[in-house]
Amino acid sequence: MGYGTEMDGCGRCMKYSLFFVNFVIFIGGLVVVGLATWALLEKVSWIGELVGNDQLTPAIYVLLAGGIIVVIVSFFGCVGASREVKCMLLTYFIIVFLLFVTMLIGGVLAYVFREKLVNTLEREMKSSMRLYDNRKAVKEAWDTTQSTLHCCGVNGWRDWGTQGLIVPESCCREIQTGQRFNCNAGPDTVNPSNAYLVGCINGTQIYMQKHATIMGGAGIAVACLMFLGMIFSCVLFKMIE
């Protein structure tokens, strides 16, 4: 149950393989933490308010928490493999199994969010548009979307008029940071030279798919590496006398 004795060639190969896999998992965990932090700083959660279904933010937090723990555990996995400590390898296997499930769930949640909203995006965006004047979070989501993606409405600026709303200031082109043209030419019209005329649906879909694919792909990739780590740790555990 303590330190292993001298191992044969196959055992040493397995030992170094586990060490290498854990090193790659360590790097992968750092990448996931970086991506999750980037997504939170980019305020990707505003997409959830825009489409009335915020499943991406929980997935980001799951991946962030999982990534931090993965970094710590993979470091100790490297130590356990190099020193051939059986109890350390067993503990490593149990923790990695739990993390494997967590990272897989986070990755799958990101992909489910991506697939679920593609087919209902237009309907959900028009539905949230009606809440623009009544909910601060929805207003901020729409303003962020239109400012970031340089678009207006779902399919165009006229969507605001069909909802009985005035075209928001965030539809107006920026003169410089923090300052915009006055693009409202009346209750139901805009000055086309000063406003974003393209609708937000295509840009929102691309933006959503890009972030969900990156987060989901990173989580699933690390989960696959962790699966290899579990296999190597089991084999090495049995080889240590």
Side-chain angles (χ1 to χ4, degrees), residues 9-65:
C10 183
R12 286 196 298 272
C13 178
M14 192 59 59
K15 168 183 170 179
Y16 294 132
S17 295
L18 179 59
F19 183 90
F20 176 74
V21 168
N22 272 284
F23 179 75
V24 176
I25 292 173
F26 177 81
I27 300 300
L30 289 177
V31 171
V32 170
V33 170
L35 287 173
T37 303
W38 162 70
L40 291 174
L41 292 176
E42 285 282 308
K43 298 181 180 179
V44 176
S45 58
W46 55 260
I47 289 289
E49 292 292 342
L50 192 70
V51 298
N53 190 337
D54 191 9
Q55 293 180 359
L56 187 56
T57 300
I60 292 172
Y61 279 113
V62 167
L63 291 173
L64 178 61

Side-chain angles (χ1 to χ4, degrees), residues 12-234:
R12 286 196 298 272
C13 178
M14 192 59 59
K15 168 183 170 179
Y16 294 132
S17 295
L18 179 59
F19 183 90
F20 176 74
V21 168
N22 272 284
F23 179 75
V24 176
I25 292 173
F26 177 81
I27 300 300
L30 289 177
V31 171
V32 170
V33 170
L35 287 173
T37 303
W38 162 70
L40 291 174
L41 292 176
E42 285 282 308
K43 298 181 180 179
V44 176
S45 58
W46 55 260
I47 289 289
E49 292 292 342
L50 192 70
V51 298
N53 190 337
D54 191 9
Q55 293 180 359
L56 187 56
T57 300
I60 292 172
Y61 279 113
V62 167
L63 291 173
L64 178 61
I68 292 172
I69 300 173
V70 162
V71 169
I72 297 171
V73 172
S74 60
F75 173 78
F76 286 107
C78 289
V79 175
S82 61
R83 302 191 67 182
E84 303 171 21
V85 184
K86 291 190 74 173
C87 62
M88 206 170 192
L89 288 171
L90 180 60
T91 304
Y92 168 82
F93 174 83
I94 295 172
I95 296 175
V96 167
F97 175 74
L98 297 175
L99 287 173
F100 167 76
V101 175
T102 300
M103 298 297 287
L104 196 58
I105 288 174
V108 170
L109 276 176
Y111 272 112
V112 167
F113 174 85
R114 173 181 177 271
E115 296 299 327
K116 186 175 181 180
L117 288 180
V118 166
N119 298 326
T120 61
L121 189 58
E122 183 173 358
R123 186 184 71 232
E124 296 292 348
M125 288 178 70
K126 286 185 176 180
S127 178
S128 68
M129 184 181 284
R130 302 187 189 101
L131 303 174
Y132 182 84
D133 287 338
N134 300 320
R135 284 184 55 182
K136 181 181 178 181
V138 173
K139 182 180 186 299
E140 290 177 349
W142 267 106
D143 288 341
T144 301
T145 301
Q146 294 179 148
S147 299
T148 302
L149 303 182
H150 296 172
C151 59
C152 186
V154 180
N155 296 301
W157 63 268
R158 290 184 176 84
D159 290 333
W160 290 104
T162 59
Q163 299 293 338
L165 300 169
I166 297 174
V167 176
E169 184 180 341
S170 54
C171 281
C172 301
R173 297 181 185 275
E174 280 190 322
I175 305 173
Q176 58 186 22
T177 304
Q179 294 185 357
R180 296 181 179 276
F181 288 105
N182 180 10
C183 62
N184 286 296
D188 297 314
T189 186
V190 297
N191 184 340
S193 62
N194 295 339
Y196 301 130
L197 304 180
V198 178
C200 295
I201 185 167
N202 290 333
T204 301
Q205 181 173 325
I206 293 170
Y207 189 91
M208 177 186 70
Q209 287 179 323
K210 181 184 74 173
H211 283 77
T213 299
I214 291 172
M215 297 304 300
I220 292 174
V222 172
C224 291
L225 288 171
M226 293 171 71
F227 183 72
L228 287 176
M230 287 190 291
I231 294 174
F232 289 144
S233 65
C234 283

Side-chain angles (χ1 to χ4, degrees), residues 229-240:
M230 287 190 291
I231 294 174
F232 289 144
S233 65
C234 283
V235 175
L236 185 59
F237 181 87
K238 291 182 176 295
M239 285 183 171
I240 296 176

